[in-house]
Structure formats: structure tokens, C-alpha cells
Amino acid sequence: HASIRSQVWKYFVQENEIMAALKKRFEHKPTHSKGVLYRMQTAQRLIVSTSWQSLDDIMEGDLQNIEKTLTDHFDNVGRQKDLLTLTLNEIRYMLIDAGRDDIEKPRDRANAKKGIVNPEHGVVIFERFEEFSIPELYPHLLPLKLAAENYLRHEYEVNGLAKSTIDSKASILKRFFTYLTEHYRTKEVDVDAVDEMFDPAGRYPLLKYLEGIYSTRESAIRVLKDIVLFLVFASLYSAKARKNTPRLRGVKVTPYRAAMPKEMYLHLLEILKHRPPNAPTRWSRGKADVSWWPHDVYPVLPMIMLLQYLIPLRGGQIRNLDRKVSFEFDHTGRIKNIIVNTDKNYNRKKPHVIPCVWEDIQNYFVPFLKWHHEYFSHIPRIRHNLDKNSPWPEIEPLFVMPEALRPMSKS
């Protein structure tokens, strides 16, 4: 039986379309890594246990059913659940690379579980207050928790604040709710309670609590200002509380920063172009024509840094450039304009256009874009920065890592 099984297994591995695609996905990963080996073996065993014969046989519902069944079976064993998630993510990315647009992107699934943003509807569904909404523990805080969610939703949908700003406000409100669970365990949070929080002579002054957490009094006051905005929204901020709200003395002026010395600037450009630092990113030189790039370093990393040094743009704007529409060419094939999908200015009607006056961009980015389209023949479009203020709701990201096909993170 073992001999027959091994022969069937060998035939299956060699002939099955799914196994071939899986092998291709893993062939450029570090084979010495146990994590990679475990994911490969787990994916093979999972595929063999199904009736799938081709990539088209794998449905999103199948992957979700497998995840639910095996998660229940693992009984919350952390390492096994993590391995399962990584393995299913590999299968999802494999299908997305093959052009399947009906497969949920792992990053979107993760965001949905965190309750940050629903990318399909642009609705803020913050669940980070869940620990404060358990009725048997803090039933009196439930109305305030709902008010906090409505406040964040209002700031996002009506006032149009960016997702990163909303996330910052949510973190501050979570800190405020921690304060409430420590000092107002049973007392209803009404206008009188808020007046007491802002009273410097009260039992549990809110500002004193924040000063014990943040490094300076100025930082604590800035956080308090954000809490005040929420309390105003919830109609809990009175004239008495306003009288006891401290103000920052003067205006903090950002010190003048001299421009980078020209010698240092040129030296950094020389490093990026001629001897870029080595990086552990796994990629295949033979997959597309890369004769313009003589180094073994994954070219996307130096290119994003080079563009950051040359063009006066924010890092987030560069990380979210679209490889198809962000570069406008003239009739000779040179880059004429760089078009930025900016979300900094709310309700901006037109994208920001920058004339391309940098020869280094012509020399490097014209062949880089050609290589990019060959190397990544299919990149799924994503919602730009999960932000509704962008002129282009979706982008085909340019600066991606080979395994994720998502815009690079800040780090």
C-alpha cells in the first residue's frame, strides 16, 4: 500500500495544476526556513485532501469552510491556527496572482476582523470598544460606547477625516474608556460626572490621569482636547468643564530645519543607483528583463527611496502611486508628468500633477515600469489607502513586495 500511495502522490504532485502553481509560488522562498517548509507541506496536505483538480475549482467559500472547520478542531491552539492562516493566505495569493478576482485578499480579511474599515462600503465599524460594552460588567457605559462609535463614524463619513486620523482618535477614546472603567465602574457618566472629571480638585481628575501616561503635560492636554471633541458630540461638555479645561501656553513652533547638504544628497543618490544596500527580499531576476538593473537587490526598494529623495511628496503619496495612471508619457516614451492620487486635501476634485524634470527618473523609472509590468503581470486593484477622499477609489499599486502585492507599509 505504501508503494502504491507513493506512486499516486508522485503523479499527483507532478501533474496537478494546483500543485504546479503552488510549487512555483514557493520556489523563490527561503527553503531553509522551517516556516516556509511547514506552509508548503500544510498546503500540499490540504490540497490532497480535497477534490480540487484545477485553480478554478477552488472557491472562496471552500477556503472559509476549511478555516472554520480546522479552527474549531484546533481548539484555539495559537501556533496551529497561525500556521493555518498563513497557509490559506498563500493559497489565496496564489489564486490572486493567477487573475482570480473573486478571492478575498488576506489584508482585507484581517482588517475586517479587526473591525477597522469595511473596504467594500467605506463604513467605519470600530469594535475596539468591545471590551467596554459587556452589559454585565459595565452596562452604564454602553450608551457612551455607542456614542463613541457614532462620533468616529461621523468624523469619517461627514467630516471626511482620513482613516489614519480616525484610528488616532479611536486610540485616544479607548484610553478614555480605560479611565472610565478604572474610576467610574458603576457611576453613570453624565454632565455632572464629566464636570467632576475636569475639576482639578475632584477625586479622579482626568488630566492628572493622562499626565501619568503621557511624557509631558503638553501631550496630556492635546489628548484631552480630542476627548473634549467627543464629549461635545455626546452633549456632555458643560461650561463648567470648559472653564476647568487647561490651555496650552503659546503656540508650539516647529524649529527651522535646514535642507540636506548637497554633498550628502548626491552621496545618497549615488548609493541608491550604484551600490544599493542588500535586502533579504526574495525575487527572481530571470522572470522579466532586468538588464537595466545590474544589482541583486530587489529593485522596488531602491526605486521608492530614489523617488522619495527626488520628488517633493509625502511618503504615503509615493507608496500609493498607481503603476498604470500615475505616470504620463509623451510621444517619445519619456515621462511627461507624475500624477499623484493625494488624499491630504479633502474633497480635492483633481489629482495633483507634477511635471517630470528629473533626468534620473527618465533613466531609471522608464525601464523600471516596463520591468514591473512584466514581472507582475497581474496585480489586483485595491482601495486606495482605505480612504474615500482619493480621486481614484482604487489603484493598481506600484511599490509592492513580491509576496503581498500590496503598497509598502510605512516601516
Side-chain angles (χ1 to χ4, degrees):
H1 291 300
S3 176
I4 295 175
R5 186 164 59 244
S6 63
Q7 291 176 9
V8 173
W9 170 263
K10 182 178 180 180
Y11 173 80
F12 186 82
V13 171
Q14 291 178 343
E15 302 297 331
N16 185 269
E17 174 189 330
I18 305 173
M19 284 298 193
L22 192 66
K23 181 180 178 182
K24 183 177 180 181
R25 175 162 185 81
F26 277 90
E27 65 182 359
H28 300 301
K29 295 179 182 289
T31 54
H32 61 274
S33 169
K34 287 187 177 180
V36 172
L37 181 62
Y38 289 157
R39 293 204 302 274
M40 178 66 171
Q41 292 175 344
T42 303
Q44 287 178 339
R45 291 167 182 164
L46 190 152
I47 292 170
V48 169
S49 67
T50 69
S51 59
W52 299 331
Q53 295 296 323
S54 68
L55 295 176
D56 292 337
D57 293 338
I58 308 177
M59 298 290 112
E60 173 62 34
D62 298 336
L63 299 176
Q64 293 184 14
N65 288 336
I66 291 172
E67 184 175 30
K68 182 179 185 307
T69 302
L70 294 183
T71 298
D72 295 341
H73 174 71
F74 287 151
D75 194 23
N76 294 323
V77 178
R79 294 180 64 183
Q80 289 179 317
K81 290 180 67 175
D82 290 343
L83 177 59
L84 170 65
T85 300
L86 290 172
T87 302
L88 291 176
N89 284 351
E90 292 284 4
I91 295 176
R92 283 191 165 93
Y93 281 128
M94 176 183 70
L95 296 172
I96 292 172
D97 289 347
R100 291 281 297 276
D101 56 5
D102 59 320
I103 301 297
E104 290 190 16
K105 304 176 184 67
R107 185 73 60 87
D108 293 342
R109 286 175 56 80
N111 280 339
K113 288 181 180 179
K114 291 177 184 177
I116 297 176
V117 173
N118 183 331
E120 295 297 327
H121 307 292
V123 178
V124 178
I125 321 173
F126 288 93
E127 295 177 352
R128 59 172 63 222
F129 301 108
E130 195 61 34
E131 58 264 42
F132 305 116
S133 66
I134 305 174
E136 55 266 28
L137 289 180
Y138 312 110
H140 61 295
L141 293 181
L142 182 58
L144 198 64
K145 178 257 182 184
L146 295 175
E149 290 181 339
N150 289 332
Y151 167 69
L152 294 172
R153 186 174 288 109
H154 180 271
E155 292 295 282
Y156 181 77
E157 296 178 351
V158 178
N159 290 337
L161 298 186
K163 181 259 172 186
S164 57
T165 306
I166 297 296
D167 203 38
S168 175
K169 287 180 175 289
S171 297
I172 291 173
L173 289 185
K174 184 176 181 180
R175 179 71 66 184
F176 177 53
F177 273 78
T178 302
Y179 163 82
L180 294 177
T181 58
E182 292 178 5
H183 300 300
Y184 289 83
R185 293 179 177 274
T186 57
K187 185 176 180 180
E188 182 182 357
V189 181
D190 53 14
V191 174
D192 292 337
V194 172
D195 288 345
E196 183 183 61
M197 295 175 199
F198 281 79
D199 186 354
R203 293 183 62 190
Y204 310 111
L206 177 57
L207 180 59
K208 185 177 180 181
Y209 171 84
L210 295 175
E211 286 177 343
I213 296 172
Y214 296 93
S215 57
T216 64
R217 177 178 172 84
E218 287 76 13
S219 298
I221 292 176
R222 288 190 178 89
V223 171
L224 185 66
K225 295 288 186 182
D226 260 316
I227 296 175
V228 165
L229 293 176
F230 161 63
L231 294 174
V232 170
F233 178 86
S235 302
L236 294 174
Y237 190 64
S238 69
K240 182 178 179 180
R242 183 181 296 107
K243 183 179 179 181
N244 287 324
T245 302
R247 296 184 179 181
L248 290 172
R249 295 180 180 179
V251 178
K252 183 178 180 181
V253 178
T254 302
Y256 171 76
R257 294 185 298 173
M260 182 185 296
K262 183 177 180 179
E263 293 76 13
M264 182 184 294
Y265 170 76
L266 295 176
H267 185 56
L268 286 171
L269 293 183
E270 190 271 337
I271 291 174
L272 289 172
K273 292 186 291 185
H274 303 299
R275 44 193 178 94
N278 193 20
T281 307
R282 298 280 172 170
W283 65 294
S284 174
R285 287 187 59 89
K287 189 176 178 180
D289 179 18
V290 73
S291 56
W292 58 275
W293 183 248
H295 314 291
D296 292 331
V297 180
Y298 179 55
V300 175
L301 294 170
M303 288 299 101
I304 189 174
M305 295 174 67
L306 183 64
L307 202 63
Q308 178 77 77
Y309 279 117
L310 292 173
I311 299 182
L313 287 178
R314 301 176 183 89
Q317 293 172 318
I318 289 181
R319 292 197 310 275
N320 288 283
L321 289 176
D322 187 303
R323 71 173 184 171
K324 284 190 174 180
V325 297
S326 290
F327 295 87
E328 186 179 53
F329 295 86
D330 62 17
H331 66 283
T332 66
R334 291 170 60 87
I335 298 175
K336 179 181 178 182
N337 293 313
I338 300 172
I339 304 172
V340 182
N341 189 25
T342 178
D343 59 358
K344 186 67 175 179
N345 300 315
Y346 179 53
N347 280 341
R348 189 184 186 101
K349 301 302 181 184
K350 297 181 179 178
H352 184 47
V353 178
I354 301 177
C356 184
V357 297
W358 298 272
E359 195 61 29
D360 277 333
I361 291 182
Q362 304 294 351
N363 294 337
Y364 283 91
F365 277 85
V366 171
F368 169 69
L369 290 169
K370 181 177 181 296
W371 167 86
H372 199 281
H373 281 277
E374 293 176 1
Y375 193 93
F376 301 106
S377 57
H378 174 78
I379 291 184
R381 300 190 68 78
I382 66 165
R383 186 173 177 82
H384 169 61
N385 209 24
L386 296 179
D387 199 296
K388 69 175 185 179
N389 296 338
S390 304
W392 306 321
E394 291 186 339
I395 64 168
E396 192 169 298
L398 173 64
F399 294 112
V400 297
M401 298 302 285
E403 295 186 2
L405 299 183
R406 306 285 299 203
M408 287 185 183
S409 65
K410 293 181 180 180
S411 60

Coordinates of all heavy atoms in Angstrom, one line a residue, residues 268 270-280 293 295-298 301-302 305:
L268 N 23.9 60.0 -1.2 CA 22.8 59.1 -1.1 C 22.2 58.6 -2.4 O 21.9 57.4 -2.6 CB 21.6 59.7 -0.2 CG 21.9 59.9 1.2 CD1 20.8 60.7 1.9 CD2 22.0 58.6 1.9
E270 N 23.9 58.4 -5.1 CA 25.0 57.5 -5.7 C 24.9 56.1 -5.1 O 25.0 55.1 -5.8 CB 26.3 58.2 -5.4 CG 27.5 57.5 -6.2 CD 28.1 56.3 -5.4 OE1 27.9 56.3 -4.1 OE2 28.7 55.4 -6.0
I271 N 24.6 56.1 -3.8 CA 24.4 54.7 -3.2 C 23.3 54.0 -3.8 O 23.3 52.8 -4.1 CB 24.3 54.9 -1.6 CG1 25.6 55.4 -1.0 CG2 23.8 53.6 -1.0 CD1 25.5 55.7 0.5
L272 N 22.1 54.7 -3.9 CA 20.9 54.0 -4.3 C 21.0 53.5 -5.8 O 20.6 52.5 -6.1 CB 19.7 55.0 -4.2 CG 19.2 55.3 -2.8 CD1 18.2 56.4 -2.9 CD2 18.6 54.0 -2.2
K273 N 21.7 54.3 -6.6 CA 21.8 54.0 -8.0 C 22.9 52.9 -8.3 O 22.8 52.1 -9.2 CB 22.1 55.2 -8.8 CG 20.9 56.2 -8.8 CD 21.1 57.4 -9.8 CE 22.2 58.3 -9.3 NZ 22.3 59.5 -10.2
H274 N 24.0 53.0 -7.6 CA 25.2 52.2 -8.0 C 25.6 51.1 -7.0 O 26.2 50.1 -7.4 CB 26.4 53.1 -8.2 CG 26.2 54.2 -9.2 ND1 25.8 53.9 -10.6 CD2 26.1 55.5 -9.2 CE1 25.7 55.0 -11.2 NE2 25.8 56.0 -10.4
R275 N 25.2 51.2 -5.7 CA 25.5 50.2 -4.8 C 24.5 50.1 -3.7 O 24.7 50.4 -2.5 CB 26.9 50.4 -4.2 CG 27.2 51.9 -3.8 CD 28.7 52.1 -3.5 NE 29.0 53.5 -3.1 CZ 29.0 53.9 -1.9 NH1 28.8 53.1 -0.9 NH2 29.3 55.2 -1.7
P276 N 23.2 49.8 -4.1 CA 22.1 49.8 -3.1 C 22.4 48.7 -2.0 O 22.9 47.7 -2.3 CB 20.9 49.4 -3.9 CG 21.5 48.7 -5.1 CD 22.8 49.4 -5.4
P277 N 22.0 49.0 -0.7 CA 22.2 48.1 0.4 C 21.5 46.8 0.1 O 20.4 46.8 -0.5 CB 21.6 48.8 1.6 CG 21.6 50.3 1.2 CD 21.4 50.3 -0.3
N278 N 22.1 45.7 0.5 CA 21.5 44.4 0.3 C 20.2 44.3 1.2 O 20.1 44.8 2.3 CB 22.5 43.3 0.7 CG 22.0 41.9 0.2 OD1 21.2 41.8 -0.7 ND2 22.5 40.9 0.8
A279 N 19.2 43.5 0.7 CA 18.0 43.3 1.5 C 17.6 41.8 1.3 O 17.9 41.2 0.3 CB 16.9 44.2 0.9
P280 N 16.9 41.3 2.3 CA 16.5 39.8 2.3 C 15.4 39.5 1.4 O 15.0 38.3 1.3 CB 16.2 39.5 3.7 CG 15.7 40.8 4.3 CD 16.5 41.9 3.6
W293 N 19.0 46.9 -14.5 CA 19.3 46.9 -13.1 C 20.4 45.8 -12.8 O 20.1 44.7 -12.7 CB 18.1 46.6 -12.3 CG 18.2 46.7 -10.8 CD1 18.1 45.7 -10.0 CD2 18.4 47.8 -10.0 NE1 18.2 46.1 -8.7 CE2 18.4 47.4 -8.7 CE3 18.6 49.2 -10.3 CZ2 18.6 48.3 -7.6 CZ3 18.8 50.1 -9.2 CH2 18.8 49.6 -7.9
H295 N 22.1 45.0 -10.2 CA 22.3 44.6 -8.8 C 21.4 43.4 -8.5 O 20.4 43.2 -9.1 CB 22.0 45.8 -7.9 CG 22.6 47.0 -8.3 ND1 24.0 47.3 -8.3 CD2 22.1 48.2 -8.8 CE1 24.2 48.5 -8.7 NE2 23.1 49.1 -9.1
D296 N 21.8 42.7 -7.4 CA 21.0 41.5 -7.0 C 19.9 42.0 -6.0 O 19.1 41.2 -5.6 CB 21.9 40.5 -6.3 CG 22.8 39.8 -7.2 OD1 22.4 39.7 -8.4 OD2 23.9 39.4 -6.8
V297 N 19.9 43.2 -5.6 CA 18.9 43.8 -4.7 C 17.5 43.9 -5.4 O 17.5 44.4 -6.5 CB 19.4 45.1 -4.1 CG1 18.3 45.7 -3.1 CG2 20.7 45.0 -3.4
Y298 N 16.5 43.5 -4.7 CA 15.1 43.7 -5.3 C 14.9 45.2 -5.6 O 15.0 46.1 -4.8 CB 14.1 43.3 -4.2 CG 12.6 43.4 -4.6 CD1 12.1 42.9 -5.8 CD2 11.8 44.1 -3.8 CE1 10.8 43.0 -6.1 CE2 10.4 44.3 -4.1 CZ 10.0 43.7 -5.3 OH 8.6 43.8 -5.6
L301 N 12.7 48.4 -3.8 CA 13.1 49.1 -2.6 C 14.0 50.3 -2.9 O 13.7 51.4 -2.4 CB 13.9 48.1 -1.7 CG 13.1 47.0 -1.1 CD1 14.0 45.9 -0.5 CD2 12.0 47.5 -0.1
P302 N 15.1 50.2 -3.7 CA 15.8 51.4 -4.0 C 15.0 52.4 -4.8 O 15.2 53.7 -4.7 CB 17.0 50.9 -4.8 CG 17.1 49.5 -4.5 CD 15.7 49.0 -4.2
M305 N 12.9 54.6 -2.7 CA 13.7 55.6 -1.9 C 14.2 56.7 -2.9 O 14.3 57.9 -2.5 CB 14.9 54.9 -1.3 CG 14.4 53.9 -0.2 SD 15.8 52.9 0.5 CE 16.7 54.2 1.3

